[in-house]
Amino acid sequence: MARLETHGLCKSFGENMVCRNINLTVNDGEMVCLIGASGSGKSTLLRCLNLLEPIDDGVILLDGEDISTPGLDPQPIRQRIGIVFQSFNLFPHMTAAKNVMLAPWRIHGRRHVDLQGEIAALFERFGLADRMEHYPDQLSGGQQQRVAIVRALAMRPEIMLFDEITSALDPELVGEVLDVLRQLRAEGMTMILATHEMGFARELADKICFLDAGAIVETGPPERLFSNPTEARTRDFLARVI
Amino acid sequence: MAVFAAIMVLVPLAPGWPAVKKSFFNSEIFVQVFPGLLNAFLLDVAIFAWSAPLIFSLGLLVALARDVRAPAAYPLRLFAILYTDIFRGVPVILVVYLVGFGIPGLGLPRPWNSPYIWGTVALVLTYAAYVAEVFRTGIEGIHQSQRAAALSLGLSNSDTMRFVILPQAIRKVVPANMNLFIALQKDVALLSFIGPVEIFRQAGVYKSLLANFTPYVGAALIFLAITIPATRYADFLLSKQMRARS
């Protein structure tokens, strides 16, 4: 069943058209990977799905409901669709635990004492049990990114978006973050990733979308798309990155 | 240092020095008026003490009003912009005169014609405009990604401002605000023109009484005793912040 769909999604920044007529379907429990060169529109597409950017044309459907109507309150939608950014974006003036607890506290009105156990379990699950009281600048990049993932998960989103979350990490720290994604995958989370990790995408994705100049050029299961791309542009891109 | 030494040596050689020394640096008069000056300075401190929180709050409100993005709130934004433009563009002394003499001139009953009230209002209006600008730079200095991260979790605009943007912004502009409040401490003396007998006015009274300018030098020293340490402290905070960022 389709959880998230876009039909004819278009987004421009001034003259620059960043997303062109995007048609994307993400089914329940699926992991979809967006690949493509920098500037191909992957990040903007994810930001549109999370309603951080208003779209110019087309629709976004969440469980069949249009969430892209202008004037719609974006807050409840954003609570259902979590996003993790390339640059972590933790709140530097709060401890890791406070970073995670802020949204559940403010939105669900849950007090810190009631949240403590649940949050601790989340930290534990992602190997961060001893990092709860650390400030972001006391954590490694990999730890910060895992905290950012925990922060998004604490709102119990139905869908998670990941925007090149390993691109800003030192190579030796990429693994620990990818492991978190594997774990989420195993738990059946519906996910959309913008990624440059081709090996990872090939190993785990249900579906790969190759984007170029703001448009989805080709979509397919990883085995087919990686070994036998039909479009010349996809072949060129894969030849350059693999 | 050399310049300072030269002044120390050369100034006393000037033909008018004995007269200047007698009327500006008269130690007997200094000792005589100092306690009175110090006492009058307490009024400056008091005016500062009740003005500062008002300035902080109004400045913050105006900065927030300028940041509101909803189109419906455009008049509010416009008002905030006009306010900061006007009050940053007019000399403090003019605002003190206009508010301090003008409003009580409306014939308000006591105690609403008090120069303390309207003098304070003049200072608050002027300084809040500067403080608002400082807060605004602080708010704008917080990277957009922080706002995006907070909103993406489903937080409201006001919660994003209150819990994510403002705590970082306020911390960032502490040194800049310190400098403004040091300037405020000095400008409290301007209220003397509309009545309150604070240190500058008191020094003027002593000057007329004793036909000597030494009380003004005494007043200057008292101001310096406060402002120099405060300035050093602001510099210290600033350099600490610079180090933390690098």
Side-chain angles (χ1 to χ4, degrees):
Chain A
M1 194 195 92
R3 294 306 306 273
L4 194 63
E5 289 167 85
T6 71
H7 297 291
L9 185 154
C10 293
K11 171 73 189 171
S12 303
F13 292 115
E15 293 289 284
N16 185 15
M17 198 158 182
V18 207
C19 293
R20 293 167 196 271
N21 192 26
I22 302 277
N23 296 306
L24 178 72
T25 304
V26 182
N27 293 316
D28 198 29
E30 247 184 357
M31 175 167 147
V32 175
C33 284
L34 310 175
I35 61 169
S38 301
S40 57
K42 309 183 295 289
S43 293
T44 307
L45 176 56
L46 292 183
R47 293 171 65 90
C48 288
L49 295 179
N50 187 255
L51 308 187
L52 283 173
E53 301 285 354
I55 62 173
D56 300 327
D57 203 3
V59 285
I60 305 171
L61 303 178
L62 176 61
D63 290 333
E65 246 176 89
D66 186 356
I67 58 167
S68 54
T69 346
L72 186 91
D73 180 10
Q75 269 184 264
I77 309 296
R78 291 190 185 128
Q79 291 161 27
R80 295 172 61 190
I81 307 178
I83 186 166
V84 182
F85 304 92
Q86 179 177 346
S87 49
F88 327 139
N89 300 354
L90 292 179
F91 309 134
H93 58 299
M94 297 179 191
T95 61
K98 291 261 168 61
N99 261 277
V100 173
M101 285 192 277
L102 178 64
W105 168 51
R106 292 305 300 172
I107 294 163
H108 298 147
R110 302 177 59 199
R111 289 174 308 148
H112 285 191
V113 275
D114 303 331
L115 279 166
Q116 201 73 36
E118 188 181 316
I119 299 295
L122 266 177
F123 274 84
E124 175 84 52
R125 202 167 115 204
F126 296 109
L128 293 162
D130 54 346
R131 292 289 180 270
M132 286 181 72
E133 297 311 317
H134 287 59
Y135 283 88
D137 62 2
Q138 299 168 320
L139 300 172
S140 73
Q143 289 166 342
Q144 288 190 53
Q145 194 57 296
R146 282 184 284 152
V147 172
I149 295 171
V150 168
R151 181 173 70 176
L153 289 175
M155 286 304 290
R156 303 192 188 171
E158 301 155 34
I159 300 171
M160 284 288 289
L161 313 176
F162 297 96
D163 185 5
E164 298 189 27
I165 60 166
T166 56
S167 299
L169 295 177
D170 293 335
E172 73 270 21
L173 301 176
V174 169
E176 62 187 72
V177 173
L178 292 183
D179 284 343
V180 171
L181 295 180
R182 281 197 184 86
Q183 207 171 326
L184 288 176
R185 174 89 180 104
E187 291 163 10
M189 175 66 83
T190 308
M191 300 191 264
I192 309 176
L193 279 73
T195 186
H196 289 294
E197 300 287 333
M198 296 303 154
F200 180 79
R202 184 169 198 161
E203 172 198 336
L204 285 172
D206 295 293
K207 189 157 75 186
I208 309 279
C209 298
F210 169 65
L211 279 83
D212 187 41
I216 296 185
V217 175
E218 188 169 356
T219 302
E223 318 82 66
R224 215 259 312 137
L225 195 126
F226 278 110
S227 51
N228 193 14
T230 53
E231 297 288 326
R233 276 190 284 173
T234 317
R235 272 200 297 276
D236 290 347
F237 173 75
L238 290 175
R240 262 182 290 128
V241 296
I242 297 179
Chain B
M1 257 341 236
V3 176
F4 190 67
I7 291 173
M8 291 296 283
V9 173
L10 291 177
V11 167
L13 296 178
W17 171 246
V20 168
K21 191 181 173 204
K22 193 160 154 275
S23 55
F24 281 88
F25 303 103
N26 190 321
S27 54
E28 278 166 40
I29 288 184
F30 185 85
V31 171
Q32 184 189 343
V33 301
F34 193 77
L37 288 175
L38 213 51
N39 202 30
F41 187 65
L42 289 180
L43 180 57
D44 291 76
V45 173
I47 293 172
F48 175 85
W50 69 59
S51 300
L54 292 173
I55 288 168
F56 186 92
S57 317
L58 182 61
L60 193 55
L61 280 177
V62 171
L64 289 175
R66 282 196 76 161
D67 190 70
V68 172
R69 280 135 198 250
Y74 181 71
L76 189 69
R77 259 182 76 182
L78 190 69
F79 178 78
I81 292 171
L82 278 176
Y83 167 75
T84 45
D85 282 357
I86 290 173
F87 282 95
R88 287 195 313 153
V90 179
V92 193
I93 183 69
L94 269 180
V95 180
V96 170
Y97 262 79
L98 292 176
V99 175
F101 285 132
I103 295 180
L106 294 173
L108 300 174
R110 281 160 67 86
W112 296 106
N113 57 2
S114 157
Y116 291 97
I117 295 179
W118 299 109
T120 302
V121 167
L123 287 180
V124 169
L125 285 175
T126 306
Y127 270 87
Y130 287 97
V131 169
E133 281 301 286
V134 167
F135 277 134
R136 192 169 68 96
T137 28
I139 288 169
E140 284 175 1
I142 302 302
H143 200 264
Q144 274 305 318
S145 60
Q146 286 285 310
R147 204 185 282 256
L151 291 176
S152 78
L153 291 168
L155 288 168
S156 65
N157 281 313
S158 55
D159 274 358
T160 297
M161 182 53 79
R162 182 172 155 204
F163 292 100
V164 176
I165 309 291
L166 264 193
Q168 297 184 58
I170 289 178
R171 243 170 271 191
K172 222 172 167 172
V173 298
V174 163
N177 270 335
M178 280 278 297
N179 280 322
L180 280 177
F181 283 106
I182 290 165
L184 169 68
Q185 175 63 69
K186 294 181 297 169
D187 279 352
V188 168
L190 293 175
L191 294 201
S192 62
F193 290 113
I194 57 168
V197 184
E198 49 68 67
I199 186 167
F200 180 65
R201 180 87 162 203
Q202 183 65 55
V205 170
Y206 284 138
K207 178 210 69 179
S208 310
L209 217 61
L210 306 168
N212 194 293
F213 286 101
T214 305
Y216 284 132
V217 175
L221 288 177
I222 292 174
F223 273 112
L224 287 176
I226 298 290
T227 49
I228 289 181
T231 313
R232 289 282 80 81
Y233 184 61
D235 284 352
F236 164 74
L237 287 179
L238 191 65
S239 67
K240 201 170 100 177
Q241 217 171 57
M242 291 296 204
R243 273 201 307 278
R245 235 175 273 168
S246 58

